[in-house]
Amino acid sequence: MPDTRLDLDLEPVSQWLPARWKKIIIAGPCGAESEEQLLDTARSIAAQQHTSLFRAGVWKPRTRPGAFEGMGEAALPWLQRVKAETGLPVTVEVATAAHTELALKAGIDVLWIGARTTVNPFSVQEIADALEGTDIPVLIKNPVNPDLMLWFGALERLNRAGIRKLGAIHRGFSTGTKTQYRNAPLWEMAIALRSACPALPLICDPSHISGRRDLIESVSQQALDLDVDGLMIETHRDPATALSDAAQQLTPALLLQLLEKLVVRGKGCDDAHFGHQLNSLRSVIDGIDAEMVQALARRMQVVEEIGSYKKEHGVTILQIDRWLQILQSRTAQGQALGLDKDIIAELCQLLHKASIRRQTEVMNR
Ligand code: PEP
Ligand code: MN
C-alpha cells in the first residue's frame, strides 16, 4: 500500500488557498440554514482573521430521509453575500452535475466532494465532466469506507478533467467497529495518501472524525502532529440549534479558543545539535531495523525447512494450536515489555501470513 504512487499534475496550494493562520483553516456551519445564520456565523469567523475559506453545505447528504437535507439552490445567494460582506471565499459540497453547474453559476470559489460521493466513480466522473474547462479548486473527502484506491481514483478523475487546484480532506472512515469516534481516523490512510503524493494538500476534518465537540482538540492536535496542511472545522453561531451535526459544531468563540490552544510544530529545526542528535538516534533505528530484517530472513529459512518436513510427513500447513500459542506468547511477551498488545498481534499475523504463503510454495513444488 505505501509504495503505490499517485501522479497528479498540481498547482501549489499557496497559490489558490493561502493560509491566514499557521495552517489553512476552513470554517463554517455544517449546513446553510438561513441567510441570517450564515452571515452571522461568517462575520464572527471573518473578524478572527484566521480562516481562509468559509464552508456551508447547501445540499446535505443524509443517511435517512426526512432529516434536514439542506436549503439547496436558494442558499447560494446567501453565500454570495457572505463573500461580498466578509471577503471570505466560500465552498459548498457538490454531489451531482446539476449541483456543480449551479455552484459554478453562483460563483462559488471552491467545491468539495463529500465522503458519500467519493465512493461512487459514476458520480465523481459526472462532476469531473461538469468541471471540464474550468479551473475551480476542488477538495475531495476520503470515501466513507477505508478504500484508498477510491480516494486516489476520485483525485485522478478530477485531475484528468483538468482540475489542477486539488486537495484532499481526511474525515475518517466507517469501519463497522464501534469506537469513541463518529468516523475512525485510521491515520495510516492519510499517511498512505501523503506518501503516494506528497505535493497534494491534505486537510483534516476533525469535526466529522470526532462527531462530538470534546474530541475535536485532540484529533486536531494529532492531525497537526502528522503535518497536515490545514483543518476544516464545522462552526455554527449556535450549535445547539443546528439542523445537522449539532453535537460536533463549535461556536466561533470556541474555534478561536481551539486555535489558540493547538500547537503547530515545525517540519525541522535550525539547531545544529538537534540535527546531530536526531541523526545519531536514527542510525540506532537503522541498526535495529537491519537486525530485524536479518532475523526475518533467518525465520523464513526455518519456515521453509518446516514446510519441507511437513510435506515429507504428510502434515497440514496450518497447525491451529501452534498458531494460537505463538499469538498468545508473543503478545504476552510484548506486553511485559510495555508494547501494545494489538500491534504485536498484527505483527504476528503478518509473520504467520508470510509463513503460510512460503509453506504453500514448498508444498506445491
Ligand atoms: C459535511 O462536510 O458536512 C459532510 C457531509 O461531510 P462528509 O462528506 O465528510 O460526511
Ligand atoms: Mn456535517
Side-chain angles (χ1 to χ4, degrees):
M1 180 168 75
D3 60 3
T4 311
R5 300 231 27 98
L6 175 63
D7 287 317
L8 299 173
D9 176 21
L10 298 170
E11 200 164 308
V13 66
S14 56
Q15 287 174 24
W16 52 270
L17 191 58
R20 296 183 65 203
W21 186 65
K22 293 167 250 183
K23 297 279 178 177
I24 296 162
I25 299 298
I26 304 173
C30 178
E33 297 165 1
S34 70
E35 183 165 28
E36 203 212 341
Q37 167 248 11
L38 216 57
L39 276 165
D40 206 23
T41 309
R43 283 189 198 114
S44 306
I45 291 173
Q48 298 171 358
Q49 303 196 352
H50 45 50
T51 288
S52 293
L53 185 62
F54 183 78
R55 64 149 283 156
V58 160
W59 298 281
K60 297 301 305 170
R62 305 312 299 275
T63 304
R64 307 207 37 201
F68 172 62
E69 293 190 333
M71 301 303 289
E73 197 179 340
L76 293 171
W78 307 342
L79 280 153
Q80 290 170 337
R81 234 185 114 188
V82 163
K83 189 179 177 187
E85 277 202 24
T86 65
L88 281 174
V90 293
T91 181
V92 302
E93 172 176 352
V94 293
T96 64
H99 295 163
T100 308
E101 277 146 22
L102 287 167
L104 286 173
K105 213 164 82 195
I108 299 298
D109 301 280
V110 175
L111 304 180
W112 94 77
I113 295 183
R116 292 162 192 78
T117 306
T118 309
V119 290
N120 185 346
F122 287 134
S123 303
V124 174
Q125 192 57 53
E126 178 183 317
I127 296 168
D129 292 344
L131 289 177
E132 193 106 34
T134 74
D135 73 340
I136 189 165
V138 182
L139 303 172
I140 305 187
K141 289 200 172 197
N142 64 256
V144 173
N145 56 321
D147 182 336
L148 200 58
M149 291 310 121
L150 282 171
W151 206 1
F152 283 24
L155 288 157
E156 286 168 332
R157 284 178 198 279
L158 271 289
N159 202 220
R160 283 180 186 205
I163 302 300
R164 297 178 63 239
K165 297 170 183 160
L166 266 184
I169 302 178
H170 169 222
R171 51 76 80 195
F173 300 86
S174 283
T175 59
T177 308
K178 199 156 171 43
T179 68
Q180 62 177 328
Y181 301 106
R182 178 176 176 195
N183 292 291
L186 305 185
W187 296 105
E188 66 277 14
M189 300 289 281
I191 294 172
L193 178 69
R194 259 271 133 107
S195 315
C197 187
L200 180 72
L202 180 61
I203 309 277
C204 178
D205 171 350
S207 306
H208 289 89
I209 291 178
S210 304
R212 27 184 268 221
R213 259 179 297 285
D214 62 323
L215 291 177
I216 291 184
E217 183 184 337
S218 60
V219 172
S220 302
Q221 188 60 58
Q222 174 83 45
L224 291 174
D225 287 334
L226 295 176
D227 200 23
V228 294
D229 297 286
L231 299 170
M232 177 190 249
I233 301 175
E234 282 189 341
T235 310
H236 190 291
R237 65 171 176 177
D238 181 17
T241 62
L243 300 179
S244 56
D245 290 352
Q248 72 193 28
Q249 301 201 62
L250 301 183
T251 58
L254 282 174
L255 172 66
L256 184 61
Q257 263 182 36
L258 169 74
L259 297 184
E260 280 166 357
K261 271 201 227 160
L262 293 173
V263 182
V264 178
R265 294 174 235 271
K267 283 186 205 298
C269 157
D270 294 337
D271 182 339
H273 179 69
F274 167 82
H276 188 73
Q277 190 62 17
L278 186 64
N279 281 341
S280 79
L281 289 169
R282 282 178 171 167
S283 67
V284 176
I285 290 279
D286 290 345
I288 295 172
D289 287 356
E291 280 171 33
M292 278 198 319
V293 175
Q294 279 162 16
L296 206 57
R298 284 203 308 279
R299 192 182 198 279
M300 288 307 277
Q301 257 167 10
V302 181
V303 162
E304 176 122 6
E305 277 177 46
I306 290 180
S308 310
Y309 203 58
K310 284 180 183 164
K311 186 179 178 182
E312 258 171 54
H313 292 82
V315 168
T316 55
I317 295 174
L318 182 61
Q319 301 282 321
I320 200 72
D321 291 345
R322 166 67 177 156
W323 161 233
L324 293 175
Q325 184 254 327
I326 287 183
L327 197 55
Q328 198 279 328
S329 63
R330 278 36 160 193
T331 51
Q333 188 195 356
Q335 260 182 312
L337 293 169
L339 297 171
D340 181 331
K341 163 170 135 291
D342 295 338
I343 298 280
I344 302 294
E346 262 183 61
L347 203 58
C348 288
Q349 271 151 4
L350 267 178
L351 289 173
H352 193 240
K353 187 169 138 189
S355 168
I356 298 276
R357 192 183 293 162
R358 181 62 67 90
Q359 293 185 56
T360 306
E361 283 163 14
V362 172
M363 290 284 175
N364 292 338
R365 264 180 210 151

